Amino acid sequence: MDYNSRKLVPYIPPAEYDKVAHEFLEQFYPDALKNPMPVPIEEIAKTGLGLDVQYICLSEELDIYGMTIFTDGVVEVYDPDEGLYDTKSFKAKTVLIDPEAVKKTNTGCRNNTIAHECVHWYKHRYYYKMQKFSLPRYAKYCKCRVDQLPESTDEENIMESQAIGIAPRILMPKNTFVEAAEHLGVAYGKDNRSAICTLADLFDVSKQSVEIRLEECSLL
Ligand SMILES: [Zn+2]
């Protein structure tokens, strides 16, 4: 993998997303490359990558669904009981997921969000750790928003696209996913609703996530 040495943003064209997902699973959960099965992504995040996954409300508008924290420090979180934003200390390698905001994402899928944050840690930690700019006391982190962030730098947009593209490929690896979908008779123009439900159960993801993945694999 080539790194842009100055900015540490990995160069991963979309055509290589499946390859990166494959490498991730080879390292952390190779069984998922052999047979269709749910990828225990929260367990992989914890034991494979050493991340501490916590569930917490991140914003009043529910527009931030996840964060990965790269250095020790405080970050802003929302306290729905008090109706106020507050700062809270976290350790490096913490992933924060807002379960209510996850429902507003296009996949509506908690496992997809955890996989997304795993990609940020797996591929983007050097960039964020080396960022020069940070506020005193604040952790270096990335914030993942339901709608693409207009104020983000180009680098951050590139990395966000990589995480969005690679996460579902980790949960639904191409070969086993296509094999399962074909076995269930998924085909363009057919009523595939029951097959989509079966695939969602089989891979432990949402039906929306399955539909998007079927389109990516040119099966829908
Ligand atoms: Zn993200």
Side-chain angles (χ1 to χ4, degrees), residues 95-146:
V95 164
L96 304 178
I97 305 283
D98 184 331
E100 288 305 311
V102 166
K103 294 177 190 163
K104 291 176 69 185
T105 63
N106 71 333
T107 60
C109 177
R110 194 173 85 175
N111 280 343
N112 191 72
T113 305
I114 298 172
H116 178 111
E117 302 304 327
C118 285
V119 174
H120 282 316
W121 181 264
Y122 181 59
K123 285 291 172 195
H124 305 145
R125 61 186 184 275
Y126 301 113
Y127 171 87
Y128 283 100
K129 279 186 187 174
M130 300 302 282
Q131 255 185 334
K132 287 209 181 74
F133 175 78
S134 78
L135 295 166
R137 301 196 305 123
Y138 273 73
K140 290 177 183 175
Y141 58 81
C142 70
K143 245 181 201 177
C144 305
R145 293 172 191 268
V146 173

Side-chain angles (χ1 to χ4, degrees), residues 15-29:
E16 287 187 16
Y17 288 172
D18 278 312
K19 192 175 131 218
V20 173
H22 188 96
E23 286 165 359
F24 179 94
L25 288 169
E26 247 175 2
Q27 186 175 348
F28 297 111
Y29 199 70

Side-chain angles (χ1 to χ4, degrees), residues 24-43:
F24 179 94
L25 288 169
E26 247 175 2
Q27 186 175 348
F28 297 111
Y29 199 70
D31 283 358
L33 296 168
K34 295 178 200 130
N35 297 300
M37 62 171 66
V39 172
I41 194 67
E42 187 160 355
E43 201 46 47

